[in-house]
Amino acid sequence: MPTSTEAGLPTAASAGNTSAGAGHTSTPGTTADGHVHWLSWARIVAIVAVVTVHVCAHLTLEWGTVGAKLWHFGNLAESAGRFAVPLFVMVSGATLLPPRPGERLRDYYRRRAARIAIPLVGWTAGYLVLDAWLHGRAITSYTFVQGFAWGRPYYHLYFLYVVAGLYLVTPFLRAFVATADRRLLVAGTAVCLGLATADKAQHLLMGGGGFNAFSYFVPFLGYYLLGYVVATARPRRPRRVVLAWSAGAYAAAVLVTAAVTWWLFGLVGPQNGRPLYDYYAPTVLVASVAMAYGLRAVFGDRAPNPARARLVRRLADLTFGVFLLHPIPLELLVRRHQPAFASDYADMAFHVGVVLALVAGCGLVTLVLRRVPVVRRLF
């Protein structure tokens, strides 16, 4: 049974064989077993951001019904956490795109299909049943046909379809990164990101568009390549300088997102005032890149000691399970039994507590379930 670390999902962090092709070199700091320390931390930070966004998202939609302080808290949490999915995709790109000269195409697809197929099918079916039950809908064969074809059986599971699509095209992208020089690699990444941003802008201004199980991965190609670009970049500045620039860029992007979203909510309401929450909004793009470079600057490519590296890696391996499981207690327990608070500050503290409880609780459940022979294949 392959471990989740090997899987290129939200738990993917080891870079495997990170030898690069012409024009650029291998991922700096790769250990003998292929582990890159900052990528493990990136998964941990990203999963906390994912849970934070899902816990706090309802506050922004309750514009006009919750207190102003509480709404701004939710808006700031949303704005600060939108980097999470792009960062997960960048981690997968850093992990899977380094060329592997000895790997046959058939072997690659066989291994990747084994790692993604069971979680994708199992969790899609499970969440389709849960969603139908929560909304009082009948469960029919069309429920499953439509759910699998749309590629969004629940609000977070589209990411499994993103990963499946990226798996499919990875061998062709590896050929590109193996032969492209650094300028062409960066230019190709910029083109993919620019096209995705333009596509989102067109949808916003003119309507139309939309994705399904077969196309969800396409807009994420730019972030996928960007992960490889960040992971293989040779530092030209001291880490403290990179960290300072990254922290400044991230903070500025979050504040602009929050401020403009506040203005848009007042102008067009909560349903149409969320364009800067999109993964390809310019501010989210800046925040995602800044977060990746900042994490690399903070934690480095190599762990300070082997024991700490093993601990961080084991924690990072639990993030896929946290990602898959957290909507279940969030919807069944928190949303249905959420208390009312007299103070906005008490409500904020409650939301912070829920985030921490979901991350820790789902992590522990994942740790237990991954020891069960059959069930562990879902994680």
Side-chain angles (χ1 to χ4, degrees):
M1 172 62 190
T3 67
S4 56
T5 301
E6 296 172 311
L9 292 163
T11 53
S14 67
N17 178 357
T18 51
S19 59
H24 40 89
T25 55
S26 61
T27 303
T30 304
T31 60
D33 63 352
H35 181 239
V36 181
H37 190 57
W38 76 270
L39 292 178
S40 290
W41 276 109
R43 293 187 293 166
I44 295 169
V45 171
I47 197 61
V48 174
V50 165
V51 176
T52 298
V53 168
H54 290 164
V55 169
C56 298
H58 75 101
L59 295 175
T60 61
L61 294 174
E62 294 173 13
W63 169 264
T65 63
V66 298
K69 294 177 182 177
L70 190 59
W71 185 90
H72 283 295
F73 168 80
N75 180 34
L76 190 61
E78 279 259 40
S79 302
R82 300 308 293 184
F83 70 87
V85 170
L87 184 60
F88 271 140
V89 174
M90 283 190 275
V91 169
S92 290
T95 302
L96 295 174
L97 284 178
R100 292 157 173 80
E103 186 175 45
R104 295 185 301 175
L105 192 64
R106 180 175 59 186
D107 295 336
Y108 165 81
Y109 280 127
R110 183 172 64 247
R111 282 196 294 269
R112 294 300 160 187
R115 292 166 188 172
I116 188 64
I118 292 176
L120 187 148
V121 172
W123 289 103
T124 294
Y127 271 103
L128 285 172
V129 172
L130 175 65
D131 189 57
W133 176 73
L134 287 173
H135 294 89
R137 296 193 301 265
I139 302 172
T140 66
S141 58
Y142 185 71
T143 300
F144 295 96
V145 173
Q146 184 188 61
F148 277 95
W150 280 6
R152 198 180 182 97
Y154 214 67
Y155 57 77
H156 69 312
L157 282 190
Y158 71 93
F159 189 74
L160 294 183
Y161 293 83
V162 170
V163 170
L166 293 174
Y167 276 2
L168 189 64
V169 301
T170 291
F172 317 116
L173 294 177
R174 281 181 184 170
F176 168 65
V177 302
T179 57
D181 62 26
R182 190 73 183 178
R183 286 186 178 181
L184 183 59
L185 176 62
V186 172
T189 302
V191 167
C192 289
L193 290 169
L195 288 173
T197 301
D199 176 71
K200 296 296 184 179
Q202 186 273 325
H203 292 176
L204 175 66
L205 297 173
M206 301 180 182
F211 299 97
N212 54 47
F214 309 101
S215 59
Y216 261 122
F217 77 95
V218 175
F220 289 95
L221 286 171
Y223 279 123
Y224 197 52
L225 288 169
L226 183 60
Y228 183 82
V229 170
V230 174
T232 57
R234 294 295 178 179
R236 298 181 179 181
R237 297 288 186 275
R239 284 168 58 176
R240 65 179 181 277
V241 175
V242 175
L243 176 59
W245 278 100
S246 298
Y250 174 76
V254 169
L255 292 175
V256 170
T257 299
V260 174
T261 299
W262 179 26
W263 174 71
L264 287 173
F265 268 51
L267 187 67
V268 297
Q271 295 303 322
N272 298 316
R274 303 165 59 86
L276 288 194
Y277 288 165
D278 191 272
Y279 298 135
Y280 283 91
T283 51
V284 174
L285 176 57
V286 170
S288 302
V289 175
M291 181 59 67
Y293 275 105
L295 289 171
R296 186 178 175 190
V298 171
F299 297 109
D301 300 309
R302 293 184 183 274
N305 60 71
R308 185 175 299 181
R310 286 193 297 271
L311 174 61
V312 173
R313 192 171 185 177
R314 287 171 182 171
L315 291 174
D317 283 346
L318 301 176
T319 57
F320 187 34
V322 176
F323 167 79
L324 293 167
L325 289 171
H326 76 273
I328 298 175
L330 178 60
E331 298 300 329
L332 296 183
L333 299 178
V334 178
R335 292 286 182 257
R336 292 191 169 198
H337 306 286
Q338 185 164 325
F341 296 94
S343 165
D344 281 354
Y345 294 109
D347 214 336
M348 294 176 200
F350 171 78
H351 282 78
V352 173
V354 168
V355 171
L356 298 177
L358 287 178
V359 172
C362 292
L364 289 174
V365 172
T366 300
L367 184 64
V368 172
L369 292 180
R370 288 183 62 189
R371 298 177 183 272
V372 181
V374 176
V375 177
R376 68 183 182 184
R377 297 181 67 86
L378 291 169
F379 295 91

